[in-house]
Amino acid sequence: MRRWLGSAAVVVIVALTVAPARAEVSPEALQLPGAATSATDPSPVTLSADLYLPTQVPAPAVVLAHGFGGSKAAVAEEAAYLQERGFAVLAYSARGFGESTGLISMNSPQFEVADARRIVDYLSERPEIVQDGAGDPRVGVSGGSYGGALALLLAGYDDRIDAVVADITWNDLESSLFGQSARGAGLGVLKQLWTGFFFSAGLLPSGGNPLAPGPVTECGRFSPEWCAAYTEAATTGTVSPAAAELMAASSPASVSNSITAPTLIGGGQSDSLFPLAQANANAEQISAANPDVPVKVVWHAEGHDGGVDETERLRALGADWLSAYLADGPAVSTAFEVSEVSGSAVSDRAAGTVDVLSTPDYPGLYGQGQRPIPVRGPTQQVLAPAGGVPAAVTALPGAGGLAGLASSVLALPLPGQSAGFLSEPLAEPLQVIGSPRVRLQVSSDRPVRDAVLFASLRIADASQRQILPNGLVAPIRLAEIGPEPVTVEVDLPAIVTEAAAGDRLAVVVATTDQAYRLPEGPAVYTVSLPDGEVFVPQVDVVSTATEAPAWLWPLGGLVLVLVIAVVTWLLRPRHGDDEPRPDASAGPSAAAADVPISVRGLVKRFKGGLTAVDGATFTVPPGVVLGLLGPNGAGKTTTMRMIMGLIRPTDGEVRVFGQRILPGSAALARIGSFVEGPGFLPYLSGRRNLELYWKASGRVGQEPYFDGVLEIAGLGSAVDRKVKTYSQGMRQRLGLAQAMLGMPDVLLLDEPTNGLDPPQIREMRDVLHAYAATGRTVIISSHLLSEVEQTCSHVVVMNRGQVIAEGTVAEFMRGRTGQRLEDVFLEMVGEGHTVVSS
Amino acid sequence: MSVHIPARPPADAGAGYRAGKTLTVRVELARQIRRKRTLVAFLLVIALPLIVVAAVKFGPSSGGGGGFGDGDLDLVGLATAGAWNFTLTMLFFGSGFLLTVLAALFLGDTVASEANWSSLRYLLAAPVPRRRLLRTKVIVGLIFTVAVLLTLVVASFLIGLVAFGSETLTSPLSGTFGTGESLQRIAVITAYIGLTMLFPAGIAFLISVLTDVPLAAVGSAVIITIVFGILDRIEALGDLRRLLPTDYGAAWLDALGSQIAWGEMAIGATYNVVIFTVLIAIAFVRFDRKDILS
């Protein structure tokens, strides 16, 4: 889902589709009678339940069981999801939790499982539930952790159950709570932190407000038997036969051979409480007893330690499974699915991305084959410190999401407390799916009872950092060791990871781990690896590639880019760009083609309301020098810029040799212009500027007349200096030279004599006369009326954006003997205007 | 002085003028390449690895032989492992700020400075069609951006080779790569970092078209990139941050895993290309309609 948010375009769609709230049918709250309250009290407990009915009934039912410490409220979201998928969902609070009465017996067959059977009885009475027979509703059971064990136990005890979904739960409670990875050894090491968390979660008064005043008891809502078993384990680390019997009865292992309903078993990779080995045992036992029962195993990336969120996928998978076996939905493959956490190392929001790998047959903990990897190291001594502290920190029970990736990176064994055995750098990447195995040899100089060790497989990278996948260690508890070395076969924690080429594998044997109950007494152990090898499980898997492949993004982006490009192309101006196109309105008429410049009704109104040009109309005949006169603000420069195609007219038009001028019109190539000062690249020489300007102007095969224009500029050797060293006058002359490059048919010059000294002005005047004499046209605007009088043969006078007079200088001066142009001009524009004459 | 004005050739309405030959990429390159700005940019990306080598070799903390960086992801600590790792670290340093500034400079300065020098109006009056002018400017800006990026990589590699030897790439995530693999990874990372420069480049170019002040274009692009970077660190924004193009700036780290994880990079690259195209399209349309008053 996150990936979808990547593209802005997609987000809009997401926002539109997410917006409408889905209509939900609110559940029906029920108080159902359960089994007997206790061995001595036959009155039934009251179970608080919610029945979610789908829109279409009758429907198959799903009994939804919650995790330890939760209640029916904790599974409300999942219940609503299953309801939407068309199931009638009965979510209930187990005895001792939520508003249900009774005491916690850890899924005892006599109590919790019996409660669940009453629930099934109840479902058989509801008309909204599909019935397979009298008293036999079509029903599946689903749950995680505490609820997962209930699901398996219920399926074992009640053959009315038609499908099971059991996630991150135990197979054998004793081996879950007392971790033992040494084969054939006895009771394991108590997971002190986990059991402590569990027990305290059951101590809170019903209703769950820890701050509410109430009586404090040693056993809380636990039944006396379980309270006694916990107290014994927590204080001595041992298990009495009575407690062992209790735990065995509450373990799916006790009934797995009678589970005949199709079962989906989830195991969490990030789970130090109920590790993958427990899920594996459930699956293997069910399949061994009834090979025809469909069993699907999923090793996902979540777990009691946090891990990577896969809720959506798992929820959908569970619903598919139930749908397949309860509602004749599409078949779900029983292929083994395993999530490999990899991908983005940088996203700080997700701990990682998940690639779901798959293989048709469940390979079990030890893979389809095992690859021995040599790991070397001398025989080493390790210290178990007195009192068990300081202890290494690996998994962080109860820390939830924090623990997952963090512990993978951080976990470092404490000095003196660990022995390490290292492989050579791997020649190629090594994928590990399952439980690697190793043989350890342990001895001690003096006899030690209850020796505790923790073995782990770590991945050491080139910078000698050790990564402990999922923070998992294998606890080993040996009843007794002495000077004679004992060889133990150890199942290292089942993991899913890939070591890169160049990484090393490290087998680390440590004496402490703060999550476990450690022996009090100090001891020194001698540890070695007799085989010098670790056996790594290998599984051939293929990626299920549930996500869009990466190339879809560039492809989608490419399409979008093309769309944008096309739209931009369509929006482009109709005229002017690229090659000149035949256009009726822009094409020259035969007569107009001889008129260098014709301005018709030209208007320019700027944003903000200033009207710079207001209906100017005039014509410039060929072979003349025409002066464009007017006071400041008359609109001369704006008119010139419109002639150059720099400003779009609001109304009216400019035609150059009959062709209408718009930005980029080809006819502009016939105009050489100089408006409001020169424009050059200051870091290039004058000559280089002209050369590059000429090349940029796209006039193929025409003669630029570099020598001629440079002579006019009169810069001498300065032409090869950088323009930024030029004086104002030199730039001005270079600008005029640039305008004359290629000797265009029209010269458009704005204040050309600024910065020129009198001799230069005179030269300029001669040049312009000579220019017009060849039949070309020159338009100049100037404030220097005397200069205009001497240079120009024609004048156009503008005032307030309009042309107020047009004609030859001779016509203007006719009958005004003794007067100068300046006087005539002042007369025309009236008082109130000062003509700048500098 | 007598000036000879050659006679007017027979009238042939704009003959010889070819819009398609105006302001070619080659001419624009010639116009830009001699700028001091261009030179400084290239010197900077060559100086960066030299400064880092100097800091590592003569710096106060060089005694330990390793790492002046720590933290989860020890990119910097591995810099001295060899030429490949040194190049990687320089890319990491460069991608943070320097390359962003340079990309913004090459595309942000390009139109605004022409306006500033007044040369823009003479190009347009030549006439260089407006879209063609922008097209050439974008291409040349991108050529320079790619050139500094490649210069940084090549210079870093050569300097790293002399300073730290030819050891192949060690991933800060895990594992080491062979020579071919190292080359592939560095190439992917370089290409991706190049693509992430498109966002600041696009912003800078759009502003460059809208303003006559070169510094405003470059500055705003850099500031927007920095502000987005800050927003990206505000946890409270959650998944909204996925909308920021800068959110994908570090996705190239995914090329350092045992397998290249393309997902984030694909999104980041696509997002940058699309945003760049949108920004350039806006610039084109705006420039079409703009009155050139500079």
Side-chain angles (χ1 to χ4, degrees), chain B residues 37 71 80 100 109 121 140 154 158 183 185 187 199-200 218 221 253 255:
Chain B
R37 177 206 78 171
T80 56
T100 303
D109 179 58
R121 60 169 174 259
V140 170
V154 172
L158 295 178
L183 181 64
R185 301 303 174 103
F199 171 66
V218 183
L253 283 171

Side-chain angles (χ1 to χ4, degrees), chain B residues 19-55:
Chain B
K21 298 280 183 188
T22 57
L23 196 64
T24 54
V25 169
R26 183 196 298 254
V27 168
E28 177 63 11
L29 274 173
R31 293 174 84 245
Q32 297 289 334
I33 205 148
R34 296 281 297 277
R35 288 187 70 175
K36 198 165 278 170
R37 177 206 78 171
T38 314
L39 185 69
V40 168
F42 282 92
L43 287 180
L44 269 179
V45 294
I46 295 171
L48 178 70
L50 286 174
I51 292 168
V52 174
V53 166

